[in-house]
């Protein structure tokens, strides 16, 4: 599979498009001044403890206080709070995570007010960005992600990604990490670590430990509220997570960003250094790679697939609803059962793409076309699971219900990508109302009278749509002839087929357009 990453960086925003066989499958947008992103670590201050919710609101510097629930504290919350308290009060005396004695794990059904109180300082990490009117969702189970490993302070466990199936490889990776990880640090071994040399894994561990050391150094002099660690830029985070041998191109329109990405690529995957390039064409980069057109077609409410099949995507307050429609395809088939299955299969493939592309999260209900055979329902479910397996975001798919519905839950950590694909009408300018066509000639003449008598224009060219031109110039005593006689032959008429029906423009003797406000 041909995979490319196209990055369009502008002054205020960066857009990242992931293409698979030249088809747009993911689109990421990031404001260049984004201050609260998933993975960022803060020293926050408890603003209010809510016993009824078993949660607290935390000030991390955002307009809206962030939300921290007891279940998001993590089993080792007591150890983190102890460490934070000792570091921030300058009583650490060389205390490190490796040297400290960990506190017992907190109770699974405990009360948050037994651990936290108002005005208390706490180290937290953003688990979900602010969405709509809600503040960020926090966790105190701090972790730092690398290329092959995820470092989790205050733990001693080593876990391996479930996507690594080989028992021998899982055991090998565990042995490698056990030999290099410090005391009181937990590690999650990522899928990317499969079949990697121990030297590469050890190098990744050193980078993560250095990042943790930098966090602790900032913590010593920190006053709440302060950012202690910032997750990678979205472009470098994608490189860290998805770059593999299947990538052919990583193209940016900024030489500075290319240099930054090449420098990062040198540390994570030097063998792929040559695929990072700078686009120097005159066309906008997204237009050159046909991404703009794909965005326009893919982000509509109604998404066409092929042969008349289409899906409708609606968003409600609580969920997304997707309806599958056969269009004219269903009516033209002799074998209706097989035809419905094929339609649903095609729709499932496009739905899996849409979920990734729009980064839709939460509850998604899909209304497929009803199928009479249980074996077809099973085939549809298996196919949807297969095409969704490319989606790295955590998700769950339930089998087809008796009503022909499939329910999907997909983790939501940032707002869904929405793009306005409709354009303002050039005739009504979004009002839904236009000048009555029967009055258009009167409007033109009123403007001619104003320009000649009030503005003292010596000569005037009126440019109109060809239909209006024909109306004004046909007949024995055509209307434009009357105008020329009335205004002493100081006006001329031309036609422009690119105009809309009621559009017209005036030009002076020097061929300069005259704007009438």
């Amino acid at each position: 599979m041909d995979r490319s990453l196209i990055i369009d960086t502008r002054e205020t925003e960066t857009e990242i498009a992931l293409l698979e066989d030249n088809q747009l499958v993911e689109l990421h947008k990031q404001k260049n001044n984004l201050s609260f992103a998933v993975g960022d670590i803060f020293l926050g201050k408890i603003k209010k403890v809510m016993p009824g919710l078993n949660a607290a609101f935390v000030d991390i510097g955002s307009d809206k206080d962030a939300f921290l629930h007891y279940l998001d504290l993590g089993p080792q919350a007591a150890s983190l709070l102890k460490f934070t308290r000792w570091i921030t009060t300058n009583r650490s005396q060389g205390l490190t995570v490796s040297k400290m004695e960990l506190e017992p794990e907190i109770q699974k059904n405990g009360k948050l007010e037994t651990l936290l109180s108002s005005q208390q300082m706490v180290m937290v990490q953003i688990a979900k960005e602010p969405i709509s009117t809600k503040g960020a969702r926090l966790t105190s189970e701090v972790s730092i992600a690398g290329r092959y490993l995820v470092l989790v302070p205050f733990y001693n466990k080593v876990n391996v990604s479930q996507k690594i199936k080989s028992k021998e490889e899982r055991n090998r990776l565990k042995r490698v990490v056990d030999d290099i990880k410090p005391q009181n640090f937990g590690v999650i071994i990522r899928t990317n670590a499969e079949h990697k040399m121990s030297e590469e894994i050890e190098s990744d561990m050193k980078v993560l430990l250095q990042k943790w050391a930098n966090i602790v150094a900032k913590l010593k002099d920190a006053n709440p509220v302060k950012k202690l660690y910032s997750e990678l830029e979205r472009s470098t985070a994608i490189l860290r997570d998805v770059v593999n041998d299947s990538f052919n191109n990583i193209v940016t329109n900024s030489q500075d960003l290319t240099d930054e990405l090449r420098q990062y690529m040198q540390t994570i995957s030097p063998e792929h250094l040559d695929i990072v390039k700078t686009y120097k064409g005159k066309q906008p980069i997204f237009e050159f790679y046909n991404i703009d057109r794909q965005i326009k077609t893919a982000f509509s409410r109604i998404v066409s697939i092929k042969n008349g099949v289409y899906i409708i995507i609606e968003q409600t307050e609580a969920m997304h609803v997707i309806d599958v429609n056969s269009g004219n395809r269903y009516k033209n088939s002799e074998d209706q059962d097989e035809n419905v299955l094929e339609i649903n299969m095609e729709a499932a493939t496009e739905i899996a793409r849409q979920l990734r592309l729009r980064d839709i999260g939460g509850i998604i209900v899909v209304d497929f076309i009803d199928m009479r055979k249980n074996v077809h329902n099973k085939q549809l479910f298996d196919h949807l699971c297969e095409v969704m397996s490319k989606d790295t975001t955590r998700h769950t798919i339930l089998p087809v219900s008796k009503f022909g519905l499939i329910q999907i839950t997909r983790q939501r950590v940032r707002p869904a990508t929405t793009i306005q694909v409709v354009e303002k009408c050039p005739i009504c300018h979004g009002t839904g109302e236009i000048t009555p066509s029967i009055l258009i000639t009167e409007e033109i003449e009123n403007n001619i009278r104003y320009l000649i008598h009030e503005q003292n224009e010596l000569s005037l060219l009126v440019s109109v749509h060809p239909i209006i031109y024909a109306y004004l110039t046909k007949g024995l005593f055509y209307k434009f002839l009357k105008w020329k006689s009335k205004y002493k032959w100081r006006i001329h008429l031309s036609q422009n087929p690119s105009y809309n029906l009621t559009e017209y423009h005036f030009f002076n003797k020097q061929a300069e357009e005259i704007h009438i406000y």
Side-chain angles (χ1 to χ4, degrees), residues 30-297:
Q30 176 179 294
K31 299 292 183 183
N32 292 340
N33 59 352
L34 185 64
S35 301
F36 304 95
V38 171
D40 289 354
I41 299 175
F42 290 82
L43 179 64
K45 179 187 287 186
I46 303 296
K47 291 293 291 292
K48 185 184 297 184
V49 176
M50 307 292 290
L53 298 175
N54 204 15
F57 289 100
V58 185
D59 179 13
I60 58 171
S62 176
D63 293 337
K64 291 186 176 294
D65 290 337
F67 184 77
L68 177 63
H69 194 272
Y70 181 85
L71 296 177
D72 295 321
L73 291 177
Q76 297 295 341
S79 299
L80 173 66
L81 293 171
K82 174 184 175 182
F83 183 80
T84 303
R85 184 170 61 253
W86 277 78
I87 295 294
T88 54
T89 55
N90 296 316
R91 293 185 293 170
S92 59
Q93 298 178 350
L95 177 69
T96 63
V97 174
S98 299
K99 294 179 181 179
M100 72 178 290
E101 182 178 348
L102 297 182
E103 296 293 309
E105 293 187 0
I106 64 174
Q107 298 177 10
K108 291 184 179 180
N109 299 316
K111 299 296 183 183
L112 184 134
E113 61 263 28
T114 62
L115 294 168
L116 298 175
S117 57
S118 181
Q119 304 303 309
Q120 182 177 348
M121 291 186 290
V122 58
M123 187 191 300
V124 289
Q125 187 169 30
I126 294 182
K128 184 184 293 186
E129 292 176 10
I131 298 175
S132 185
T133 59
K134 298 178 181 178
R137 182 75 179 254
L138 302 177
T139 177
S140 63
E141 199 167 7
V142 174
S143 62
I144 308 172
R147 173 75 168 157
Y148 306 120
L149 308 173
V150 178
L151 187 68
V152 188
F154 311 106
Y155 281 80
N156 269 315
K157 297 178 181 178
V158 176
N159 295 319
V160 185
S161 168
Q162 294 181 355
K163 293 183 180 180
I164 300 178
K165 303 299 182 182
S166 169
K167 185 177 180 181
E168 293 77 11
E169 180 64 8
R170 294 173 67 89
N171 291 335
R172 182 189 75 87
L173 292 171
K174 274 192 174 183
R175 287 195 301 271
V176 170
V177 172
D178 278 330
D179 289 341
I180 62 176
K181 88 171 186 66
Q183 181 70 15
N184 294 338
F185 281 94
V187 175
I188 301 171
I189 302 174
R190 306 186 70 183
T191 309
N192 288 339
E194 189 171 14
H195 304 307
K196 296 299 179 183
M197 302 293 290
S198 58
E199 291 80 6
E200 296 177 271
I201 296 174
E202 184 175 1
S203 175
D204 199 40
M205 173 68 79
K206 288 179 180 178
V207 172
L208 295 177
L209 289 172
Q210 183 57 53
K211 289 181 178 180
W212 173 253
N214 294 340
I215 291 173
V216 174
K218 289 182 179 180
L219 188 62
K220 290 180 179 179
D221 303 320
N223 294 316
V225 175
K226 182 176 181 179
K227 182 184 288 189
L228 304 174
Y229 169 77
S230 182
E231 179 59 286
L232 295 169
E233 291 291 328
R234 195 79 187 116
S235 51
T236 48
I238 290 175
L239 291 191
R240 179 195 68 196
D241 294 339
V242 305
V243 168
N244 53 41
D245 292 335
S246 67
F247 268 79
N248 301 84
N249 289 295
I250 298 171
V251 187
T252 82
N253 60 350
S254 164
Q255 186 61 50
D256 291 340
L257 182 57
T258 300
D259 295 340
E260 178 187 333
L261 294 181
R262 286 176 66 88
Q263 183 178 359
Y264 183 72
M265 186 69 82
Q266 183 70 50
T267 64
I268 67 168
S269 186
E271 66 273 16
H272 291 101
L273 197 61
D274 292 339
I275 69 175
V276 184
K277 305 167 187 174
T278 304
Y279 171 74
K280 298 181 184 280
K282 294 183 179 180
Q283 282 181 283
I285 186 170
F286 272 19
E287 184 178 330
F288 179 81
Y289 285 97
N290 198 34
I291 295 171
D292 277 339
R293 185 178 182 280
Q294 292 193 58
I295 289 174
K296 291 291 185 184
T297 57

